[in-house]
Amino acid sequence: DTEVTQTPKHLVMGMTNKKSLKCEQHMGHRAMYWYKQKAKKPPELMFVYSYEKLSINESVPSRFSPECPNSSLLNLHLHALQPEDSALYLCASSQDSGRGRPENEQFFGPGTRLTVL
Amino acid sequence: SQQGEEDPQALSIQEGENATMNCSYKTSINNLQWYRQNSGRGLVHLILIRSNEREKHSGRLRVTLDTSKKSSSLLITASRAADTASYFCATDVVRNSGYALNFGKGTSLLVTP
């Protein structure tokens, strides 16, 4: 199984809502990532988990809260988002060398298209 | 800030022609990767080239790396309409307590029948 799955595919939420994005992989990868991508822009790294521990937070606002319940799952909890947070949210995973260096390819999920009203 | 910068930003060619995209970066790297993204979907890894390699092939793809010029190129030969996508280079960079991939701005490729 070389697939990264993400749910939901689409999400529309108001600024006062609380929602969660989910990501799952069964490739035994120990590094997992959240990216945010605006239209016609490259993916921007948000968070990196290595061996279920948060290793990188790219100064993301606290209204985004990541969680890694186990080695296969990655969640992104959303609360009090702003319209400018509307974007495609991509999850990825990769093997981890143990030093956290991305020496291997990253496998991406199809993304969640988020719209904040 | 984005480490990689691709050019051209957009490229339009006909089927059967070759497409060349370039990527420049600023700091030393361990490896450089190329990814493809079809409209509104996830990225697909194409090829990884390590800093001690100069050229790598995979099917119709050919990647070169010149660490002295801090640049890489991706050549797609005999292009097909299905190659229409955005192509991103990505370099590994140090970020705070760990490493991450930094994606370039991308080249949008359109292959017309």
Side-chain angles (χ1 to χ4, degrees):
Chain A
D1 184 359
T2 58
E3 191 179 17
V4 176
T5 59
Q6 289 188 244
T7 55
K9 284 188 170 51
H10 300 275
L11 178 61
V12 179
M13 59 186 290
M15 289 189 284
T16 58
N17 293 157
K18 282 186 182 180
K19 296 287 184 183
S20 296
L21 308 184
K22 295 185 184 303
C23 174
E24 189 167 3
Q25 57 88 14
H26 294 287
M27 293 177 277
H29 291 167
R30 302 310 296 270
M32 295 186 76
Y33 312 80
W34 279 116
Y35 292 86
K36 173 184 175 180
Q37 187 179 28
K38 302 283 268 186
K40 299 189 187 302
K41 296 290 186 183
E44 293 180 4
L45 182 69
M46 299 175 72
F47 302 104
V48 180
Y49 272 84
S50 179
Y51 292 84
E52 294 97 72
K53 290 196 169 112
L54 183 65
S55 63
I56 296 179
N57 176 342
E58 287 286 88
S59 302
V60 179
S62 59
R63 57 185 184 269
F64 295 91
S65 175
E67 179 196 17
C68 190
N70 60 55
S71 60
S72 300
L73 294 174
L74 187 65
N75 298 322
L76 186 62
H77 303 297
L78 314 173
H79 174 53
L81 294 193
Q82 303 296 311
E84 58 265 29
D85 296 322
S86 298
L88 181 68
Y89 287 84
L90 295 163
C91 172
S93 70
S94 69
Q95 293 177 1
D96 189 286
S97 65
R99 294 167 294 163
R101 191 148 202 173
E103 296 178 333
N104 300 296
E105 64 180 287
Q106 292 189 11
F107 290 78
F108 281 80
T112 293
R113 175 73 60 189
L114 174 67
T115 302
V116 182
L117 301 176
Chain B
S1 62
Q2 294 299 317
Q3 164 85 308
E5 298 278 339
E6 287 96 332
D7 78 85
Q9 287 189 342
L11 182 60
S12 182
I13 60 174
Q14 290 191 314
E15 270 191 323
E17 294 180 337
N18 295 342
T20 300
M21 289 158 263
N22 303 297
C23 169
S24 60
Y25 56 92
K26 295 177 182 171
T27 60
S28 62
I29 60 171
N30 187 51
N31 65 62
L32 186 144
Q33 303 182 40
W34 285 91
Y35 287 81
R36 184 188 75 219
Q37 184 178 33
N38 290 86
S39 180
R41 300 182 64 82
L43 282 77
V44 174
H45 180 264
L46 295 176
I47 198 163
L48 180 154
I49 187 166
R50 301 196 184 281
S51 59
N52 61 354
E53 297 175 311
R54 292 294 168 259
E55 188 171 311
K56 205 161 183 180
H57 297 255
S58 177
R60 293 184 296 114
L61 305 180
R62 172 178 169 253
V63 168
T64 62
L65 179 64
D66 187 334
T67 53
S68 66
K69 295 181 179 177
K70 292 187 169 57
S71 68
S72 174
S73 68
L74 170 67
L75 168 67
I76 304 174
T77 60
S79 63
R80 305 166 182 167
D83 295 328
T84 294
S86 292
Y87 292 81
F88 296 94
C89 69
T91 53
D92 60 325
V93 293
V94 176
R95 289 283 175 87
N96 300 324
S97 61
Y99 297 91
L101 280 181
N102 195 343
F103 287 86
K105 293 181 179 177
T107 293
S108 178
L109 174 65
L110 174 64
V111 182
T112 54

